[in-house]
Amino acid sequence: MSKREMKLGAFLMVPGHHVAAWRHPDADVNGVLNLSFYKELAQTAERGKFDMVFLADSLAAKGNKQIEGRAVNATFEPLTLLSALSAVTDRIGLAATVSTTYNEPYHVARKFASLDHLSHGRAGWNVVTSGSEIEALNFGKENHLLHELRYDRAKEFIDVVSGLWDTWDDDAVVKDKESGVFSAPDKIRSLDHKGEWFQVQGPLNISRPPQGNPVIIQAGASESGRDFAAQYAEAIFTAWQTFDEAKQFYTDVKGRLQHYGRTAEDVKIMPGVFPIIGRTEEEADELESKLKELIHPTVGVALLSGLISYDLSPYSIDGPLPELPDLSQINGQKSRFLLLKDIADREGYTIRQLYQHIAGARGHWSIKGTPVQIADQLEAWFHGGAADGFNVMAPYLPGGLTDFVDLVVPELQRRNSFRKEYTGNTLREHLGLRRPASKGTKQPLQHS
């Protein structure tokens, strides 16, 4: 049996994950809407043999009127950007967030099938139900769809999208010039879906993706999110602060897979990690302190308010969190609300201390140290049954990613915990996931 290897995603948020990253003297703030800069980042991650680059997305401008002039709130539409990056990379996976609440299944199925063809099998879809109330206002709605209803819609949404990908058999495209047959009609079928949320005839107007299905990624950790992940996800991006919390989640989700006829190898769990890297411990401490100094209080409060779906602006930043609503009253990201509330309660943080604590990792795992110390911490979770790999969230760019690739990756490779070369070409092959056969055929599932 081959040695288990860590999976790594490069979570690209330009010019960095820290809320004050754009103010760091070494951050390239000109790269925010610069294709050449994203090309550099993607190629750096590919040089480091990462499994994928990942782009998150929101369908609303970040922040509010108070901070519009202080926060980076201009971002590319991710599938447009990944399509461009597919032409300047060769092996690395290309994954992006697309909401099931404010899109239609036919659009999403077609776009990801297109990206998978353009990249020769490297596409991944991070399925989200959207967590921000302000997104609703951009789509003719006064309120965000309730949490449970969002998941009900998402389940049907994925069923329709995967069904559309399967409306073409793998060998449906014939391209026989002599007979004049481009595609075999008996290998293309309509979907004829009629459900609670959608009515879609099909078939899709692009042939089956090279991976069969682009890789399905999910990021929710609520009870609904966990069950949704166990049923549909092939990779999970999750946020935990401690090893025990991460291991509990890992064990819980892996244990649910059997209820859906799946095995532990069918899903890769990749917690987010925010690494502050220094060649010495002192250098890492200096970087952490510098980033904290650059946080404007208004931005810090707005960030924290958005993450917990509760406005903290009326309260003193040097006082404790106010009495927060019951979880049942939160219609945003419930798992993130609980996570941040638990941190504040456990550590006794003031509002200022809490936003300083989460301003980089946003509730994900934050680690600090030399390359050896960073590798030690990653291996502890990886070998301890808390993770199959990690989604790496560089504090600022390009330096944070370059340091990880040049300093941490070689240390992981030296320990045989991470690949030295790609052995496959598709994202499924990188992650060790099976390629599903079309549901319209009787072929057995085949492993990549």
Side-chain angles (χ1 to χ4, degrees):
M1 180 181 292
S2 60
K3 181 177 172 64
R4 180 170 172 259
E5 291 182 335
M6 197 178 290
K7 308 303 177 186
L8 291 178
F11 186 168
L12 302 183
M13 184 178 286
V14 174
H17 273 272
H18 197 279
V19 72
W22 72 275
R23 300 183 67 193
H24 190 280
D26 295 330
D28 188 348
V29 73
N30 295 319
V32 172
L33 295 177
N34 187 327
L35 176 58
S36 296
F37 186 62
Y38 278 92
K39 172 184 173 182
E40 174 191 340
L41 297 176
Q43 292 179 339
T44 296
E46 189 167 60
R47 176 168 61 81
K49 313 304 177 187
F50 273 57
D51 294 77
M52 71 182 95
V53 293
F54 166 62
L55 301 175
D57 193 36
S58 173
L59 296 170
K62 296 178 183 177
N64 53 39
K65 293 294 182 183
Q66 292 179 298
I67 67 166
E68 279 180 355
R70 296 187 181 278
V72 176
N73 59 4
T75 58
F76 280 116
E77 189 286 311
L79 286 183
T80 305
L81 177 56
L82 290 181
S83 295
L85 294 179
S86 72
V88 295
T89 55
D90 297 310
R91 308 287 281 277
I92 195 164
L94 305 167
T97 291
V98 172
S99 171
T100 59
T101 304
Y102 301 113
N103 283 286
E104 288 292 320
Y106 198 94
H107 289 137
V108 173
R110 188 185 186 203
K111 289 176 181 179
F112 275 102
S114 297
L115 179 60
D116 211 46
H117 279 285
L118 287 170
S119 63
H120 305 291
R122 295 186 281 138
W125 171 26
N126 179 42
V127 180
V128 301
T129 64
S130 291
S132 169
E133 287 281 350
I134 60 175
E135 290 177 86
L137 301 177
N138 292 333
F139 292 87
K141 301 182 185 302
E142 293 184 2
N143 299 106
H144 201 25
L145 199 63
L146 292 175
H147 186 269
E148 293 302 321
L149 292 179
R150 294 202 304 271
Y151 273 102
D152 286 344
R153 177 186 166 99
K155 289 178 180 180
E156 187 177 334
F157 196 110
I158 288 187
D159 288 339
V160 175
V161 169
S162 60
L164 286 168
W165 286 331
D166 286 345
T167 53
W168 293 62
D169 289 346
D170 288 322
D171 57 352
V173 179
V174 178
K175 294 182 286 191
D176 188 332
K177 291 186 178 182
E178 285 195 22
S179 66
V181 175
F182 178 81
S183 57
D186 61 335
K187 295 181 181 293
I188 303 171
R189 66 196 67 80
S190 61
L191 181 64
D192 296 327
H193 174 87
K194 294 181 180 179
E196 180 181 355
W197 295 94
F198 307 106
Q199 183 170 322
V200 182
Q201 178 177 297
L204 201 60
N205 58 347
I206 184 170
S207 58
R208 195 163 190 254
Q211 293 186 102
N213 291 3
V215 173
I216 299 294
I217 305 166
Q218 190 266 356
S222 65
E223 183 63 25
S224 297
R226 293 180 187 215
D227 201 57
F228 183 87
Q231 185 173 359
Y232 294 102
E234 297 172 293
I236 300 174
F237 296 158
T238 187
W240 301 106
Q241 292 282 308
T242 69
F243 171 82
D244 289 341
E245 291 170 330
K247 185 169 183 177
Q248 189 280 329
F249 175 83
Y250 185 97
T251 302
D252 178 45
V253 173
K254 296 274 186 173
R256 298 182 190 221
L257 297 174
Q258 60 184 330
H259 300 301
Y260 298 101
R262 309 177 72 198
T263 71
E265 291 304 308
D266 292 331
V267 179
K268 307 303 177 185
I269 297 178
M270 301 171 65
V273 61
F274 179 81
I276 299 177
I277 306 165
R279 287 168 175 78
T280 64
E281 291 182 26
E282 293 74 21
E283 192 176 292
D285 289 339
E286 288 173 9
L287 174 57
E288 181 181 49
S289 296
K290 180 66 175 177
L291 289 167
K292 284 184 178 180
E293 290 171 8
L294 295 173
I295 306 170
H296 191 281
T298 304
V299 174
V301 171
L303 172 69
L304 186 55
S305 297
L307 289 172
I308 67 172
S309 302
Y310 188 82
D311 183 14
L312 296 172
S313 60
Y315 302 95
S316 169
I317 63 172
D318 292 314
L321 281 179
E323 188 73 25
L324 295 175
D326 183 80
L327 182 64
S328 64
Q329 297 176 269
I330 297 298
N331 194 31
Q333 299 180 54
K334 291 179 182 288
S335 58
R336 195 60 52 90
F337 172 87
L338 285 175
L339 180 70
L340 298 183
K341 184 178 183 300
D342 287 347
I343 294 171
D345 292 344
R346 183 172 63 243
E347 304 294 338
Y349 281 157
T350 63
I351 290 174
R352 185 198 301 271
Q353 290 171 325
L354 185 57
Y355 77 59
Q356 287 180 335
H357 180 78
I358 57 90
R362 293 172 169 81
H364 293 82
W365 186 33
S366 181
I367 58 178
K368 181 179 66 171
T370 66
V372 169
Q373 291 170 334
I374 296 292
D376 287 344
Q377 293 173 81
L378 296 178
E379 282 200 322
W381 282 35
F382 177 64
H383 294 306
D388 295 309
F390 302 93
N391 214 13
V392 179
M393 306 164 64
Y396 70 95
L397 294 167
L401 179 61
T402 303
D403 284 347
F404 194 96
V405 167
D406 291 343
L407 302 175
V408 179
V409 166
E411 180 63 25
L412 293 172
Q413 291 171 330
R414 185 184 68 77
R415 304 176 187 202
N416 294 318
S417 288
F418 186 63
R419 69 168 67 87
K420 294 180 175 67
E421 296 293 339
Y422 289 113
T423 56
N425 295 301
T426 70
L427 179 54
R428 285 187 175 279
E429 289 172 330
H430 300 339
L431 294 173
L433 298 171
R434 57 183 180 173
R435 182 185 187 276
S438 170
K439 297 181 182 70
T441 72
K442 295 182 179 179
Q443 295 174 234
L445 292 175
Q446 299 174 353
H447 286 267
S448 296

